[in-house]
Amino acid sequence: MSVQTTRQAATRGRWAVAGIFLANGFLTGSWAPQIPVFLARLDISKFTLGLLILLFGVGAVMAMTWCGHLISRHGSRPVLRWFGICGSFGLLVVALAPNVPLAALAMLVFGGSIGGMDVAMNSNAVIVERRLSRAIMSSSHGFWSLGGFAGGALGGYSIQNYGYLTHAIAVTALAFLVIAFAVRYLIADRPQAAGHQKFTLPRHTIVYLVGLMALLTMVSEGAVLDWAALYLQQELGADLAIAGLAYAAFSGVMALMRFLGDGVRNRFGAVATLRGSALVAAAGMLVAGLSPSPYLAIAAFAFCGFGIANMVPILFSAGGNQEGLSSGTGMSVVTTMGYSGILVAPSAIGLVAEHSSFGPIFVALSGLLVIVLLMANLAHRAEFAAEPAPAE
């Protein structure tokens, strides 16, 4: 295969995996406007709803844990195909669930397919980065954010005007078409585990430290998602409309910066970019926690989003490039630990907030981001060197 042909295949693979990220974000974002209908249709309490949503997270973490083993045996492309096609039907299965037991099973399957898809698409993005010898992870996550924004923004209108089931069918059809088209052009990577090797956890200490960095980063991201609006409303005196701008500013700036982040990372390197990003994020979180004004807090949360935007993509690249580990195995560890932060943080922060205020919590979270800053050198595996493409 000529160098030009290999480069063209890698470029097609780059846009194919971007399409998968977009579809994954679209499916996840489309679930949010379904939640009020889901609550009313099953006639359940908010507590029961919380348990069902927790099952989504349990399914995601279970799939993430096993996905690295599957990728080692089969490669990221076939695993992504399986989880992607399954995931495209996840929202529809949830929307069709007629009672709580079947809804619980549907949420577990939906979460598992989205979680497995997440590990596989990030692993494939690492393969594309190696093949192109440049960063594409941040913009890939930017496509995820764009898909989530589109799913959330269009979902409410669609459900209100056409019904929740029509909305679920339309989301399923769009996601399936994008995924089915994109998987044809994904870069193939060679399986690294022969035969029927048993599932085992990797014994590389560094990958767990990178996973810890992802966890600390995503705890902060989850805290802004779940508690920033309540902080502005209850402690800074903002009305509901103003309070809602906290996460909007955070996520909007984060999405924009993810599309710009690859260029920054290619120019300054992964470690330097991670250090600068962690410093910015920590400063933003600190100011938000000490802010006397809701408007200053909103600006601080936006500044924090500017920093956090590229921290997770860099850490995922570092996890997927660990020496002696397949990209899927390293990615599985880092994504599982990272997303566990988003799952655990909301309840833990809520428990602490019952006996304290949110301001000190956000100040403490800035300290977690400083820890990531101090550990930034561990992400050096996210730096790139050219890798020749294998013959096909």
Side-chain angles (χ1 to χ4, degrees):
M1 183 181 289
S2 69
V3 174
Q4 183 177 2
T5 304
T6 301
R7 191 78 179 180
Q8 289 173 346
T11 301
R12 286 195 298 269
R14 184 261 179 279
W15 293 112
V17 78
I20 301 290
F21 271 88
L22 183 74
N24 185 283
F26 183 65
L27 285 164
T28 306
S30 296
W31 157 240
Q34 285 270 352
I35 292 176
V37 179
F38 187 69
L39 180 73
R41 183 170 62 83
L42 296 180
D43 192 23
I44 56 178
S45 66
K46 292 181 180 178
F47 176 76
T48 303
L49 174 64
L51 292 178
L52 290 172
I53 293 175
L54 180 61
L55 283 176
F56 179 97
V58 170
V61 170
M62 288 172 59
M64 286 175 175
T65 303
W66 276 94
C67 198
H69 176 64
L70 294 174
I71 293 171
S72 293
R73 290 184 58 186
H74 304 287
S76 62
R77 184 165 68 174
V79 174
L80 185 48
R81 181 188 299 116
W82 302 333
F83 277 110
I85 297 302
C86 180
S88 65
F89 289 93
L91 183 65
L92 181 59
V93 171
V94 171
L96 289 171
N99 52 51
V100 172
L102 289 178
L105 180 61
M107 289 294 287
L108 194 67
V109 172
F110 186 27
S113 59
I114 291 296
M117 188 178 171
D118 195 290
V119 175
M121 69 190 188
N122 277 287
S123 298
N124 195 263
V126 168
I127 302 302
V128 174
E129 287 187 325
R130 292 177 186 170
R131 201 68 65 85
L132 293 175
S133 299
R134 63 181 176 85
I136 61 105
M137 187 68 80
S138 289
S139 57
S140 295
H141 281 253
F143 279 104
W144 187 93
S145 299
L146 186 62
F149 175 78
L154 297 175
Y157 174 84
S158 300
I159 293 170
Q160 182 175 330
N161 288 276
Y162 304 106
Y164 76 94
L165 194 54
T166 300
H167 167 255
I169 292 171
V171 168
T172 299
L174 286 171
F176 179 84
L177 288 173
V178 170
I179 292 168
F181 179 78
V183 292
R184 299 166 56 195
Y185 299 100
L186 292 172
I187 293 293
D189 53 317
R190 293 179 178 178
Q192 296 188 18
H196 296 279
Q197 184 175 338
K198 293 181 179 180
F199 170 78
T200 57
L201 292 173
R203 298 180 180 179
H204 295 64
T205 304
I206 298 298
V207 75
Y208 293 104
L209 293 176
V210 174
L212 175 63
M213 294 163 70
L215 187 150
L216 296 179
T217 301
M218 296 179 80
V219 162
S220 299
E221 183 177 343
V224 178
L225 168 64
D226 291 294
W227 299 111
L230 201 60
Y231 167 53
L232 264 66
Q233 188 178 24
Q234 291 187 352
E235 297 182 21
L236 299 183
D239 60 32
L240 189 59
I242 297 299
L245 293 177
Y247 184 68
F250 175 85
S251 61
V253 171
M254 185 166 63
L256 176 63
M257 189 57 199
R258 280 179 167 170
F259 283 110
L260 300 174
D262 288 329
V264 175
R265 181 175 157 202
N266 286 323
R267 179 172 181 180
F268 297 104
V271 172
T273 302
L274 180 59
R275 284 194 182 116
S277 296
L279 180 61
V280 168
M285 193 71 81
L286 178 64
V287 172
L290 297 175
S291 174
S293 159
Y295 296 102
L296 177 60
I298 290 170
F301 281 128
F303 195 65
C304 184
F306 182 88
I308 284 180
N310 293 307
M311 294 173 67
V312 170
I314 289 172
L315 293 170
F316 280 10
S317 284
N321 280 292
Q322 291 299 307
E323 187 175 1
L325 289 179
S326 71
S327 63
T329 300
M331 189 64 68
S332 178
V333 171
V334 175
T335 53
T336 301
M337 292 183 67
Y339 283 107
S340 293
I342 285 185
L343 293 173
V344 174
S347 56
I349 290 173
L351 182 63
V352 174
E354 287 184 2
H355 306 285
S356 178
S357 58
F358 285 110
I361 291 174
F362 287 118
V363 171
L365 290 175
S366 71
L368 300 185
L369 294 168
V370 170
I371 294 174
V372 178
L373 167 65
L374 297 175
M375 298 173 68
N377 193 56
L378 295 176
H380 69 277
R381 295 294 302 179
E383 309 286 3
F384 296 109
E387 178 190 83
E392 295 185 10

